[in-house]
């Protein structure tokens, strides 16, 4: 799957996760008003588990090789979880205390800012193929794969890319 398709799937899951996070945050904030850092952290953990399940079964469904679900969950928490937790809580503190943004708007902005880093980490590590080198020569496009730096024609030859 190309990265643009995967980015689209990642954002579909992200939008669902954002609804889960904001809904959970709103509910927890009614239960414990004023404790926005604690309620943000709890809402984020609920969202991480939600997003992990969807990413495993939708966004990176094609990457179900050797690593177990537990290993992927640990990598997901160590990458996306840490970025989201540090990014969300750090940004929430700044956006609410300094910029005086409303709670849900500040949390939405923090989610958007962290999403690019989270996609990169998810694609490259949390849900990475177990052994990317073993797939280089397999598949239906085997004849087109030449090397990491593929040139359409040989240096110094008169061949064109279409010959």
């Amino acid at each position: 799957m190309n990265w643009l398709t995967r980015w689209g799937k990642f954002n579909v899951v992200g939008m669902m996760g954002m609804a889960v996070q904001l809904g959970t945050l709103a509910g927890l904030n009614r239960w414990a008003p004023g404790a926005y850092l604690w309620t943000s952290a709890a809402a984020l953990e609920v969202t991480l588990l939600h997003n992990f399940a969807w990413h495993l079964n939708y966004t990176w469904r094609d990457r179900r090789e050797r690593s177990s679900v537990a290993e992927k969950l640990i990598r997901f928490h160590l990458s996306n979880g840490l970025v989201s937790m540090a990014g969300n809580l750090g940004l929430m503190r700044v956006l609410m205390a300094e910029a005086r943004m409303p709670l849900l708007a500040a949390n939405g902005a923090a989610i958007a800012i962290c999403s690019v880093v989270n996609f990169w980490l998810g694609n490259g590590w949390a849900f990475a193929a177990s052994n990317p080198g073993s797939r280089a020569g397999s598949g239906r496009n085997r004849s087109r794969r030449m090397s990491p730096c593929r040139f359409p024609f040989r240096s110094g030859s008169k061949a064109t890319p279409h010959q």
Side-chain angles (χ1 to χ4, degrees), residues 96-115:
M96 290 200 54
E98 303 301 322
R100 305 273 190 228
M101 284 180 76
L103 175 71
L104 297 182
N107 197 249
I111 291 168
I113 292 167
C114 293
S115 71

Side-chain angles (χ1 to χ4, degrees), residues 86-144:
N88 268 277
L89 297 181
L91 288 168
M92 289 290 290
R93 189 164 203 27
V94 170
L95 295 174
M96 290 200 54
E98 303 301 322
R100 305 273 190 228
M101 284 180 76
L103 175 71
L104 297 182
N107 197 249
I111 291 168
I113 292 167
C114 293
S115 71
V116 174
V117 175
N118 281 336
F119 175 76
W120 181 73
L121 288 170
N123 197 50
W125 188 57
F127 295 99
S130 313
N131 191 357
S134 68
R135 298 184 339 160
S138 64
R140 63 179 180 223
N141 296 326
R142 181 180 344 169
S143 63
R144 293 189 336 180

Side-chain angles (χ1 to χ4, degrees), residues 138-154:
S138 64
R140 63 179 180 223
N141 296 326
R142 181 180 344 169
S143 63
R144 293 189 336 180
R145 297 178 196 226
M146 295 166 58
S147 70
C149 297
R150 197 177 115 208
F151 295 100
F153 52 91
R154 291 184 203 142

Side-chain angles (χ1 to χ4, degrees), residues 16 24 46 66 116 133 158:
M16 292 187 306
T24 303
V46 169
R66 295 181 188 104
V116 174
K158 303 234 182 210

Side-chain angles (χ1 to χ4, degrees), residues 20-36 38-46 103:
V20 167
Q21 186 168 341
L22 294 177
T24 303
L25 180 61
L28 290 173
N29 193 53
R30 283 188 179 170
W31 178 67
Y36 68 88
W38 289 106
T39 57
S40 295
L44 179 61
E45 181 57 30
V46 169
L103 175 71

